[in-house]
Amino acid sequence: MSDSTEYAWPTDATEYLSSTFGETRSAHLHSGIDIRTWGQEGYGVFASRDGEVHRIGIGPKGYGYVIYLKHSDGSYTVYAHLNRFESELQSIADSIRLQDYSFELEHTLENERIQYKKGEIIGFTGSTGVGPPHLHFEIRDPNFNPVNPLLTNLNRYVSDTIPPIFTQLGIEYLDSDNYRYKDFELFPAEKVDDGFDFGDIEVEGPVGLSVNVHDKANRTPNSYAVYSLRMVLESDTLFHSVKNSFSFSHSSDMFLDRSYPILSETGRGFQRLYKVHGNRLPIYQKAVNEGVLHLDDGIYPVKIIAEDIYGNQSVATLKLNVNRTEKNEPIHYVASYPSPDSVLNRTVYDWLETTVVKEESLLASAGPELLPPDYQNISFYYSGKQSVKKSLSPNKLDLLHTADQKLWIQFPRGSLYDTLNVRMEMTQTANQIDIKLSPTELPISRSATFNYILPDEFKDRTRLALFSVEPFRNREKFIRADNSSGLIRASIDEITNLRIREDRVAPWVGLPEIAQNLAGMHIIRIPVKDGDTGIDYEKSSIIVNDEPGIVEYDPEDNYLIYYNPDFKPKLTNSIDYRIYDGVGNQKSQNIDIRYNP
């Protein structure tokens, strides 16, 4: 891929963007651009360059229907959230899925040598996977790393003469010893003639700045991520980030580039103007003292400069009034994780006095790769609740567990960004078990494994479910787990509060209807909902006129869809469905529905 490579605009929907490269997403950085389709589906999607189909995918999450084209220079383009592929490629995908009637597909097609010329149609826009109707488009280099598409000639298709807009400043207060996060405070931006102003702000000790800032383009209501951020103190640039490219293996480091505490509490993606330990994103051009402001007493004029990829620029100013502190530099380490809440009114509990039944301990259940627990940096407490406090290391397989060894979380080597001092507290009532961690709502680089040998009074409850629980909203999110032989085991992707409780309510199922997809093929659409543990589309089945079909799932519009390319509706159609939720509750029925052509 060279600077002279020319790309065709990949759709005839519009030339307006709804999202740009490097924006905040639920668990990663946005790796491409999103093109508006005005809430409609079925616009043409075209090969942006001559290429060969490298891979196709189908599923209810992520990219939905997706095509990866490989080009002669080894680079790739990606086209996602499609309604369907063009007819020949769709037939290939269907023939693979109909072998076992599976919905999801992830298939490499390089041996088939399916080629498209630049501008040829490869699919149609849709809303599969995550989000409303739009086309997600990416450019990836030969190492499969995403590159900002607007660095190419594609930027000529977008009209943008509007500078970025600042809305809020975050002051993150840091510990003077290791620059560990302690708390944050937000300040609104005031629009002034020559930009924005956050006013005079008093601080004590070191701080890191973060900003809520977005970009705009002509003739569209959407807000975008800015391309470049700079922090200047007097005439010195102390921090500069530019979003050109990144590696997918580092994409989750977004949670270190954004202020994770502010994101968790407010849902807004404040971008940090400093860099914490463990952040491997290659977007930082400069970070003097890691961008942390640990200054002598005095008043300091600070400028923050936001710029889009078209060179439109906005400047925000503030005066930082520093009291009762002394300058401390150079700074080479800023801790990734905050400290836990203090443990108050807890009695230290001597684990050696605990009778641990070997057959019911983590050592008997976790497998041969697990080393004996290290008790040097661990303390147990008890005052009606089991509580444990421990320092976890990022450089080894480490464990956080209760004194009776019946609950443990395994953190593989490299899963933590930094040393983590954490407290875990477990509370059991008649109907549920809560596991609270402090600090909570923290990112990890690799999944950890949660394990819990259930208490006797819970072991016979076959509909137990595991949830993560947001501390600020008490909102539950179902986590798929294996519950067998009295042991619950699951992968967790963040440090979060957890809850175990039953879900005994079967999914709601509406009346099936015969419809046509955008290709004109007949389908059966069944409305479904389950607010607790979701729909298990893999386990669910739909048989129409004694013929099985592919059970597709649309989580945005809450439909299960029967799809079989050979399905032709009769005047009366027998539909036999069995629909499951995430813990096995089911709703089944055999129903006849009439079709009026």
Side-chain angles (χ1 to χ4, degrees), residues 180-236:
R180 193 178 298 278
Y181 165 86
K182 296 193 299 183
D183 200 359
F184 72 84
E185 191 172 358
L186 302 182
F187 298 87
E190 180 182 348
K191 186 74 175 73
V192 293
D193 290 340
D194 55 351
F196 299 85
D197 185 61
F198 293 114
D200 296 355
I201 299 173
E202 292 193 8
V203 301
E204 295 179 5
V207 295
L209 305 189
S210 57
V211 287
N212 186 5
V213 57
H214 63 271
D215 189 30
K216 289 284 189 181
N218 299 356
R219 299 186 301 276
T220 178
N222 297 85
S223 297
Y224 313 126
V226 297
Y227 172 64
S228 165
L229 276 173
R230 278 189 293 150
M231 179 176 67
V232 178
L233 178 58
E234 294 173 338
S235 61
D236 295 329

Side-chain angles (χ1 to χ4, degrees), residues 321-565:
N321 189 348
V322 180
N323 298 307
R324 292 191 289 182
T325 186
E326 293 182 359
K327 191 172 185 178
N328 184 11
E329 56 181 22
I331 299 170
H332 300 295
Y333 169 80
V334 181
S336 302
Y337 297 129
S339 296
D341 299 335
S342 58
V343 180
L344 302 174
N345 301 319
R346 296 285 192 270
T347 302
V348 178
Y349 188 75
D350 186 355
W351 72 272
L352 292 171
E353 296 178 2
T354 303
T355 302
V356 178
V357 180
K358 183 178 179 182
E359 292 73 17
E360 296 183 358
S361 75
L362 64 93
L363 296 177
S365 305
E369 77 281 0
L370 185 64
L371 297 174
D374 177 8
Y375 295 100
Q376 291 183 350
N377 298 311
I378 188 166
S379 300
F380 298 106
Y381 302 85
Y382 187 77
S383 62
K385 302 176 181 178
Q386 283 201 62
S387 183
V388 56
K389 185 177 180 182
K390 186 182 181 183
S391 176
L392 298 168
S393 171
N395 300 317
K396 65 177 184 178
L397 185 150
D398 214 340
L399 283 176
L400 180 66
H401 67 88
T402 53
D404 60 8
Q405 298 189 12
K406 291 187 177 183
L407 186 155
W408 70 100
I409 303 174
Q410 290 174 242
F411 294 91
R413 177 190 291 269
S415 61
L416 298 173
Y417 287 108
D418 202 348
T419 299
L420 174 64
N421 297 311
V422 62
R423 178 166 57 86
M424 178 173 69
E425 182 176 271
M426 186 173 70
T427 306
Q428 178 181 330
T429 64
N431 297 316
Q432 70 183 40
I433 299 167
D434 280 291
I435 301 106
K436 294 184 179 180
L437 290 97
S438 176
T440 191
E441 297 291 292
L442 297 178
I444 55 179
S445 182
R446 294 172 57 196
S447 296
T449 305
F450 171 83
N451 311 266
Y452 185 39
I453 298 172
L454 290 165
D456 289 342
E457 57 269 35
F458 280 79
K459 285 183 178 178
D460 294 332
R461 303 182 188 183
T462 58
R463 298 291 185 254
L464 285 178
L466 177 67
F467 301 88
S468 65
V469 184
E470 291 186 15
F472 301 105
R473 304 167 187 85
N474 197 32
R475 188 166 59 191
E476 296 179 337
K477 181 181 178 182
F478 175 61
I479 300 175
R480 292 204 172 273
D482 177 58
N483 180 11
S484 59
S485 303
L487 172 65
I488 287 186
R489 177 169 286 171
S491 291
I492 55 175
D493 298 324
E494 61 179 343
I495 308 285
T496 181
N497 294 338
L498 300 166
R499 178 172 294 157
I500 298 171
R501 65 168 178 81
E502 283 191 291
D503 170 17
R504 304 192 66 84
V505 180
W508 172 86
V509 181
L511 186 66
E513 62 178 354
I514 297 174
Q516 286 181 290
N517 62 19
L518 290 183
M521 304 175 75
H522 287 94
I523 57 175
I524 301 291
R525 198 162 53 192
I526 304 179
V528 293
K529 272 188 182 180
D530 190 281
D532 273 346
T533 56
I535 300 297
D536 189 341
Y537 57 89
E538 294 177 297
K539 192 175 181 181
S540 300
S541 64
I542 305 172
I543 297 175
V544 178
N545 299 330
D546 297 323
E547 290 292 332
I550 298 168
V551 179
E552 298 189 337
Y553 181 42
D554 182 346
E556 294 283 334
D557 292 328
N558 297 304
Y559 285 112
L560 280 177
I561 298 165
Y562 169 90
Y563 173 71
N564 188 321

